[in-house]
Every structure is written in C-alpha cells, then in structure tokens.
Amino acid sequence: MKKIFFIVLGALLAVSPIRAQNTSGTDFWLTFGRVIIWDDPSFFSFRIRIVGGYEPTSVRIDFTHLGTHDVFNINPHQIYDYILDNTQKNAVYNKTTGITDYSIRITTQKPVTVYTMCGLANYCPVTNVLPVTAFGTEYYQISYLPTIVSGASGLDAYAVLATQNNTQVWHNGNLEATLNEGDVYYRTEYADMTGAHITTNHPVAFFAINQSADIPHNYIWPSGAGPLFQQLAPVNTWDKSFFVPVTEIEKDIVRVVVSKNGTNITQTGGTVRTGVPGAQTSLTNLQAGDFVELEIELSNNGCYIETNYPVGVCSYITYNINFGSVLTIPSQTWVPGINQSVITAQIAPVAFSGTAITHHYALIYTPSATKNNTKVSVGGATPTALSGGIWHDNAISGMSFYSMPLTNPNATYIFSNLEGVIIFGYGFNNTNAPASYYYLAYSAMRDLDAAFFANDIHFQDLEDNPICESEITFRAKIEGLHPTAADKIRWFIDGAEQYAEQNNISWSRTFSVGEYEIRMLVRYENNDTVSKTGTLKICSFDADFYVNEIHHSELPDITFCENEMYFRAEVEDWESLEWWIGGVEEVAARNQTTWDRVFPNGTYPVELRAFFANSDPVSVFSTLNVFKAWIKMRNIKRE
C-alpha cells in the first residue's frame, strides 16, 4: 500500500499539525455581552484560561478600549488563568446595541488554546476562543428564544468583532455598521435571531450571546433559564456530515441551521421537536436561514446527521433537576462536522474558582472501529486508555463517544487517536442549585467550502506535514462550483498557472525535494471567485529511527506482538535528540541513540526530534502498534 511519511520541519514541537487550521493558535480576539439582565459587570467573574502548548511562550493581552496591555510567560502545558478587574470588565462588556471598541486581543509566540467564562456562581457560560486563522466573512446566528427574567424581558444578541479597518457588517443583506480593527458591533433583539445571516467584507470573530434562555422551549423562569455564550464558526468551515454525542445529562437539544436553499437533512437518533417558535418540522427543501430542532437521548447513543449542503450545528445542555446528582441550566456548544477531527488534542478543564460547577468532563468522539486506541496523557504522564466512563457506540454513523471525568483541575489532558478525535468540555453541579457549562474543547477548523488535498492531506495541513514521496495527487472538493465556466478551476504552482489542469478536479504531478506554493482558484455558481493556497513540502530523510529494527516508514503497517520495544536512531552531526511518545517526552531517553521500553497494548504516536548546530531541527513522525495476544504469534502486517 502507498504510504505517506510525515516529517515536521523547523521548530514544530507536536505530534500533530498544531499550526494547521484548528482551535489552537497564536492570535485571538474576544468580547463579552450582557449576561442575565444586569448592566453592572462587577457582579460577574470574567476569566480567560490559556493552556500552554508544546513550547514555552510569552503572552500579551491588549485591551483595545483602555489602550493597556499585560505581558507574561507560560511554560509548556501550563494552565494560566487571567482574571479581569472591574476596570477591564467595563472595557469589554457590551450592554446596548451599537459600536464600541470593547475588545481584547491575545497574542502569543507559540500556539496555545484559549477558553473564557463570563458569569456568576450558577450562571457561568464558557466558550472556546478561536484563533484568527479560523475567522470568516459569513455567519448565521444560532441561539435560542430569550426568556423573561425577574419580570424583565431577556434579549438574544450577537457580537461581531473586526480585525481590520473598514470592515462592513451586513445583517440579512442590510448594512448595519462599519468597523475598524478592535471595534465590536453588538446587536440585541427581544426575539430568537437563530437563522439571521451576517456577512462582512473582511474576516471577523462572531459570538452568539443570549442573556437568558429556557431550554427546551416552554420551561419557565426561574426553573430552567440560563445565559448562552459561544463563539461560532464561519460558513466556510461547515460540513455535511455530523455526529452529535450526548452528555451525561442524558437528554440534549440540537439545532441545525441551513446555509443554502433546497437543503435536505437526514438524521438518525434524534426526534424532531414541534411547537418551537421559528423552527421547521420538515427536513426537506429547507431554505437558507431555516433551522430544525432535535431532541437527542443517551439511550439512542447519539445522533447522526447528513445533509446535501453544508449546515451549522449547535448542541445544548438543558435545564435538569430530575436526576438528583445532576443539576444543570441551559448551555450551548458549537458542533464541528466529522471532517474537523484531529489526531491529537490538548485541553484543560475549565475549573474556574467561584463557580458552582462540581463535576467536569471531556466528551470525546471517534470512529468506533478504533475507539480503544484513544489515549490520554494527564499532566504529562504516560498515555493510557480512557477511564471513568463507558463507550457509547452509534452503529449507523460508525462513531463512538465517551464522557471522561476531568478530576485534576490544574492538569492538561492530551487525547490522541490516529483516526481522529473531537473533544467537548462540559460540567454540572450535583450539590445544590443547578449550574452547567458546555463548550467545544478542541477540533480542526479547516476550510470545507472549497478545499484541495495533496495525497489526501488537506491544503491547510500541508505545511506541517511534509510528504516524502515524489508523486503527488491533487484532489479538489468544492461546494457551489460554477457548472459551465471555462475557468471554473485554475491551478498554480509557485505562481505559474498549470493550463493543462484547468477545470480538473483531480490530477497528479512529480516533484523533486523542495517547497512549493500550490494555489487553487475557484469560480462559484454566482461568478464569485476564491483562492485557496497551501505550502507543499517534499522532503528527504535527514533522520531515521528503527523500532525492533523496523524502519519508521514501515511502522504504521506493522503490529508488534511483543511488548518490549527497542529504539535506534540514525542521525548525523546532531547536537541533541529527543524522543516523544503520544505527545509526551521520554525524558530518560533524551540524547540516546538507543533505548528500550515495555509498552502496553495500544497505538502510540512516536516522534524523534533531532537538533543541529547550523540547520533547522528535524522531527520524524511515525506510529507504533502493539498487540500481544495470549498465544505467541508472528508480527502481523496489515494490508
């Protein structure tokens, strides 16, 4: 079988492409909206949790309105909580519709993951914060019907945060605001704005904010209301295939929002809810901006959703006091499509002090066939199987999910599976008044509207995944391609158009060792054009390693039937060597060209990092498969 060998060049220090398009990054923007009905943000706790990546980094936090900033350093895998004081809260808290400069910018030298919370002890909505690489120019609001709180009407809201000057914001086709860098357009309505279409001329961050929602519909305050706060992903990252897992609350709500006319939805495992204001009950011929609401239950092992056009999906924890040990209020998370999975995901519990949350969970989903290969490293320990929960298998989708308790609030958790994972975080109270949160903890945020692949590697992952093969096959996947234009697809290599490949969905070319800019220009059915660019790296082996005398290039196709592994490196003129297993350094093996270790049965990402005096470091990536049966067997080569 054809193999693709991954060698990460430069100063990359991860076992998966951490600089690719995902929820970690080096540049973030953030704003907050009104929570419940109070105008005074001093009532609330505003916290930003920054999770260090695989390298030490400096962090800078800028407050646009104040013109002030803080700078500090964090170590690899360190968790840092930044707590806003009252002056800072007032400089980021939007209260009324209009334009402000109430924003925060977070920049780092190396990739980190960012989460934030705005709320009280029992009202503590959490969202992941997306890096600028995941921003877009087209969004749909996904929220819920606001409720009445203490006799006052609540508000649905969203915030658009500009990262460039002269950013124009349209709401359902009407120009509403022109923003400069760091400006925020905050819009509120006494109605559910789910399905509102927001477009801009430059990429922006988009936050769905709801002061208080009763979920599911018809729960009445004070029984079931809670604020919602979630950064949403742009339409270009939307998918057509989704799996929605279920929390331990046992019954969740899902909203599916449509981006194109004529959308048909097929779903298994959910029940279409009726009587929901604004929601459609038909799953066929839906129009852009329409939405459908589903109820999903743990007993059905999740919900599988397929569509003919891209859709946006959010899942909601509902109000619950029925299970005694699980007390919740409504919370909202973005649900990425199945094509947004990652090999490795580092997260941290959002265990902020001052909240009423007593239980924290990671909700992991992955293909069922390889679910038991999912590993987790807690606080840098050796990766082990998941613990504290059970796998729930969904036969229709071929996906499984697992709620794992996060019992160490100050530790990072690194999850890995070569077939891909998507991680959510959620929590609840089990002692007194209801409280909960729900958020996307880690996923990819790849462009899916117009994408190309080189040897099945997404163009946004190419730079961090050099290919050690000369023959490269390119494949395009495009939504809404122009059906007849003579130049509907154009291909470029280092700026030179490949005329012979015009309008080809698939084509191949032989490359020599080096780096190449690959660009695909697409013409859509409405005659708009878009350009997508990736950096293709064709590499040679500057370093090699062997496990039990099997070359690293062959390891992914080998299953070892013994547990003791012998490692040997072949590297010339190195200054230092590091061995990493499952994203954790094997410290005892540092600077060792040979070493050995016993491995339990499982699958382990392995990386050899070689550092040189006068050239960039080289990292060689492979996969170790270990399965020792109770009888002696020869090594098995998988076909």
Side-chain angles (χ1 to χ4, degrees), residues 38-57:
W38 293 297
D39 286 331
D40 186 354
S42 65
F43 285 112
F44 311 120
S45 177
F46 289 60
R47 294 170 180 262
I48 302 170
R49 172 157 284 196
I50 301 169
V51 183
Y54 293 83
E55 297 180 79
T57 188

Side-chain angles (χ1 to χ4, degrees), residues 446-466:
R446 304 180 182 101
D447 288 351
L448 298 180
D449 61 341
F452 69 86
F453 301 79
N455 287 14
D456 290 326
I457 300 175
H458 189 275
F459 75 96
Q460 289 171 317
D461 298 334
L462 282 176
E463 184 172 6
D464 295 325
N465 289 300

Side-chain angles (χ1 to χ4, degrees), residues 313-491:
V313 178
C314 281
S315 186
Y316 303 79
I317 287 176
T318 67
Y319 171 70
N320 174 59
I321 58 171
N322 297 323
F323 298 103
S325 62
V326 180
L327 305 173
T328 61
I329 60 172
S331 306
Q332 175 184 5
T333 185
W334 175 257
V335 178
I338 288 175
N339 290 307
Q340 299 290 11
S341 67
V342 295
I343 294 173
T344 303
Q346 177 180 262
I347 73 166
V350 186
F352 293 121
S353 61
T355 73
I357 304 297
T358 56
H359 287 57
H360 307 271
Y361 290 86
L363 178 56
I364 306 105
Y365 84 74
T366 190
S368 300
T370 55
K371 66 182 182 183
N372 291 323
N373 294 337
T374 307
K375 304 296 181 183
V376 60
S377 168
V378 182
T382 301
T384 61
L386 306 186
S387 61
I390 62 171
W391 283 106
H392 298 272
D393 302 326
N394 186 280
I396 297 296
S397 66
M399 307 300 291
S400 297
F401 62 95
Y402 190 106
S403 278
M404 177 175 168
L406 304 180
T407 57
N408 189 337
N410 299 311
T412 55
Y413 289 70
I414 302 175
F415 295 91
S416 62
N417 187 309
L418 291 176
E419 297 304 316
V421 293
I422 291 177
I423 314 290
F424 302 91
Y426 71 95
F428 55 76
N429 185 295
N430 75 336
T431 57
N432 44 62
S436 56
Y437 65 74
Y438 200 10
Y439 65 96
L440 173 64
Y442 206 98
S443 77
M445 281 287 161
R446 304 180 182 101
D447 288 351
L448 298 180
D449 61 341
F452 69 86
F453 301 79
N455 287 14
D456 290 326
I457 300 175
H458 189 275
F459 75 96
Q460 289 171 317
D461 298 334
L462 282 176
E463 184 172 6
D464 295 325
N465 289 300
I467 302 173
C468 295
E469 290 184 272
S470 58
E471 185 178 357
I472 304 298
T473 297
F474 296 94
R475 172 175 58 88
K477 184 178 180 181
I478 304 166
E479 296 290 336
L481 181 66
H482 197 290
T484 59
D487 61 346
K488 58 186 178 182
I489 306 178
R490 297 166 63 188
W491 296 93

